[in-house]
Amino acid sequence: LISAYKRRFGASQNVTVRIDLSTGEARVYSEKRVMDEVEDPREEIDLHEARKLVPKIEVGETVTIESTPRDFGRIAAQTARQVFMQQIREAERSKVIGEFSGRVGEMIAAVVRRVAPQGTYLSADRAELFMPTREQIPTERYRPNQHLQVYVTEVREDKRGPQIIASRAHPKLVERLFEMEVPEVLRGA
């Protein structure tokens, strides 16, 4: 709520927000320095005005005054919603990173979602995987909703979110497929 206020009404102010838990109403209070001559009304208050609030206040002291804007409730609600949604997205990203970072080197089942010139986008376990063209078998053609076994080669954090790189051309994929189909290979026999 403080960031919403500062974004809309000036970032230089020293403000606090108090929320009445019984009504849910948010009120903004700003600290202002008492001055003989006011140069910046956002940070300073005239001695005469300050004495109306606190009778024995002197020049150089600070006074806290309410400065809640008229439509602050709506602005505060919008900003709070944006902050909560951002935190939820970040939590989902870190969950996906944590989940898949332990699965590098594993074979997983995935579904083709989209085929693009730079690679194929897949989904597995509520996460998006990317299979670059260099990690694809040249003779294979992929279709949306096609089920594939892929090998997870890398998990990294990207500015757009987690990047999980999958492969169909990695030599370890063939090894994992043999282990699934031939029990003797899994046992090392």
Side-chain angles (χ1 to χ4, degrees), residues 32-80:
K32 295 191 178 194
R33 213 170 33 256
V34 179
M35 305 296 280
D36 284 326
E37 284 187 39
V38 176
E39 293 177 15
D40 185 0
R42 291 182 302 185
E43 293 187 20
E44 300 170 348
I45 187 169
D46 181 64
L47 178 62
H48 179 68
E49 292 293 319
R51 285 201 171 145
K52 288 179 185 176
L53 302 167
V54 181
K56 295 184 180 184
I57 199 155
E58 296 297 325
V59 173
E61 294 180 342
T62 59
V63 64
T64 302
I65 62 167
E66 184 178 349
S67 56
T68 307
R70 205 169 346 118
D71 60 347
F72 185 66
R74 181 183 58 79
I75 296 165
Q78 280 180 328
T79 302

Side-chain angles (χ1 to χ4, degrees), residues 162-178:
Q163 275 263 287
I164 304 163
I165 308 298
S167 174
R168 289 274 298 166
H170 199 282
K172 289 280 187 180
L173 177 66
V174 176
E175 203 174 295
R176 298 288 182 263
L177 286 168
F178 270 117

Side-chain angles (χ1 to χ4, degrees), residues 99-117:
E99 205 174 290
F100 275 88
S101 62
R103 296 178 79 179
V104 171
E106 284 185 19
M107 180 180 68
I108 61 170
V111 179
V112 175
R113 290 294 165 216
R114 186 166 50 99
V115 179

Side-chain angles (χ1 to χ4, degrees), residues 139-158:
T139 57
E140 278 189 335
R141 298 291 167 247
Y142 306 106
R143 305 174 313 284
N145 297 322
Q146 180 181 4
H147 292 263
L148 300 172
Q149 294 291 331
V150 295
Y151 185 80
V152 179
T153 60
E154 183 182 358
V155 177
R156 63 176 177 243
E157 184 66 44
D158 192 65

Side-chain angles (χ1 to χ4, degrees), residues 18-31:
R18 294 188 194 127
I19 300 173
D20 183 342
L21 296 178
S22 59
T23 64
E25 188 176 343
R27 294 191 180 277
V28 179
Y29 297 91
S30 59
E31 271 188 18

Side-chain angles (χ1 to χ4, degrees), residues 84-140:
F84 292 141
M85 293 305 288
Q86 179 65 30
Q87 287 178 342
I88 288 170
R89 280 191 293 274
E90 286 174 15
E92 286 173 346
R93 281 187 192 129
S94 64
K95 181 182 175 195
V96 167
I97 290 279
E99 205 174 290
F100 275 88
S101 62
R103 296 178 79 179
V104 171
E106 284 185 19
M107 180 180 68
I108 61 170
V111 179
V112 175
R113 290 294 165 216
R114 186 166 50 99
V115 179
Q118 67 272 18
T120 302
Y121 294 89
L122 312 154
S123 66
D125 299 332
R126 300 178 316 278
E128 185 178 76
L129 289 76
F130 179 66
M131 185 169 48
T133 309
R134 71 179 182 279
E135 295 292 343
Q136 297 176 13
I137 299 171
T139 57
E140 278 189 335

